[in-house]
Amino acid sequence: MSDVPKSHPRYLSLTLRDRIVSGVEQGITSIHGLIAHGRGEAYDYLINEATQPFAHKAIRAAAAMLYLAQHPVISVNGNVAALVPKEIIELGQILKAPLEVNIFHTETGREQKIKEHLQKHDATKVLMPSKDTQLNFIDSNRKYVNPEGIFKADVVFVPLEDGDRCEALRKMGKDVVTIDLNPMSRTAKQASITIVDNVVRALPLLSQAIQTLPKDTDSQETVQQYNNEKILKEAVQYIRRSPNV
Ligand code: PTJ
């Protein structure tokens, strides 16, 4: 880890870089994950590195959708494992949902390393992809899934992802909740609910929202009234008028 003084104006951002670099060094994160992280940083800058109203609205709907799910599953890739291991495990515990390792770049042994990394952080249920169970409509390594996990899921939580699988999951009739800093990405557009925010800020807020779902509101209605296209438009509009531009 680099020695970033807490007084540095970019302390938080530099700490996150350290986590991703450490993920690569430990063999958890793909080297391509560094590029994805850089792209995320650029979008984060444009949303003022803060959770904006469009993200809060999506978090409320995502909490309701995940709460209502019969069989929710949380997909974990190399960036998520490096950035937010504790937070993703906590979400799994709150939802009583399994974590499932699913990666795009197929470095040997990386899936197992991600599993062990999550277990080191006290994850109890980590499912692994199976070569015998495949999603339709997708050719990459992401097609391999666990028969008791993503294959069976009605709602899949896929933070920080490339677009192919999101589209395949939707075609298979599943709902997808994602967190993606880029409101124009294919994942953002294909998902049922897109939280345009940094996974580091959004995950704790999502867990909190599930735990404090208002008893007097109908979660079903919250989900039905949610319009992802409208939320993405709000995010793009915010970026166009960004105070950082
Ligand atoms: O571990 P693997 O092999 O599954 O690979 C994971 C990555 C992320 C490398 C892979 O899925 C990939 O290449 O993704 P993309 O196509 O670069 O898309 C990642 C998306 O996540 C982009 O739209 C980024 O803007 C966004 N992003 C990056 N960092 C964050 C983020 N969104 C939320 N929080 C972040 N910290």
Side-chain angles (χ1 to χ4, degrees), residues 36 39 77-78 103-105 110 142 162 180-181 197-199:
R39 181 152 53 163
N77 66 22
I103 61 174
F104 180 78
H105 303 283
R110 192 156 66 88
R142 290 209 188 280
D162 44 289
D180 191 331
L181 277 161
D197 197 12
N198 197 316
V199 73

Side-chain angles (χ1 to χ4, degrees), residues 34-90:
L34 298 175
I35 301 168
H37 187 78
R39 181 152 53 163
E41 277 187 349
Y43 279 103
D44 207 7
Y45 201 66
L46 292 171
I47 61 163
N48 219 15
E49 295 175 318
T51 307
Q52 299 299 342
F54 47 81
H56 281 295
K57 287 182 219 167
I59 286 170
R60 270 198 295 280
M65 181 178 272
L66 287 163
Y67 168 78
L68 290 171
Q70 297 293 311
H71 189 60
V73 176
I74 299 168
S75 181
V76 182
N77 66 22
N79 284 50
V80 168
L83 284 175
V84 280
K86 283 193 215 124
E87 293 81 353
I88 203 87
I89 292 165
E90 193 190 352

Side-chain angles (χ1 to χ4, degrees), residues 25-176:
E25 286 167 351
Q26 292 174 69
I28 295 164
T29 308
S30 162
I31 190 107
H32 303 88
L34 298 175
I35 301 168
H37 187 78
R39 181 152 53 163
E41 277 187 349
Y43 279 103
D44 207 7
Y45 201 66
L46 292 171
I47 61 163
N48 219 15
E49 295 175 318
T51 307
Q52 299 299 342
F54 47 81
H56 281 295
K57 287 182 219 167
I59 286 170
R60 270 198 295 280
M65 181 178 272
L66 287 163
Y67 168 78
L68 290 171
Q70 297 293 311
H71 189 60
V73 176
I74 299 168
S75 181
V76 182
N77 66 22
N79 284 50
V80 168
L83 284 175
V84 280
K86 283 193 215 124
E87 293 81 353
I88 203 87
I89 292 165
E90 193 190 352
L91 180 69
Q93 284 163 350
I94 291 167
L95 288 171
K96 297 190 179 31
L99 306 183
E100 179 168 334
V101 178
N102 184 283
I103 61 174
F104 180 78
H105 303 283
T106 54
E107 294 93 344
T108 317
R110 192 156 66 88
E111 286 162 344
Q112 186 58 29
K113 281 185 184 158
I114 293 175
K115 179 177 183 175
E116 285 163 15
H117 180 69
L118 293 170
Q119 285 170 334
K120 244 188 267 164
H121 283 86
D122 295 332
T124 45
K125 192 157 186 193
V126 183
L127 301 175
M128 296 296 271
S130 155
K131 291 284 176 211
D132 301 327
T133 311
Q134 297 188 19
L135 296 175
N136 303 328
F137 312 112
I138 181 168
D139 294 322
S140 76
N141 186 59
R142 290 209 188 280
K143 69 181 170 198
Y144 298 115
V145 290
N146 189 291
E148 294 308 309
I150 290 171
F151 191 76
K152 217 167 97 177
D154 55 345
V155 180
V156 192
F157 180 55
V158 286
L160 217 161
E161 159 110 355
D162 44 289
D164 281 22
R165 186 174 53 142
C166 181
E167 194 175 351
L169 291 169
R170 298 288 285 133
K171 279 187 184 161
M172 287 180 77
K174 299 173 193 298
D175 272 310
V176 174

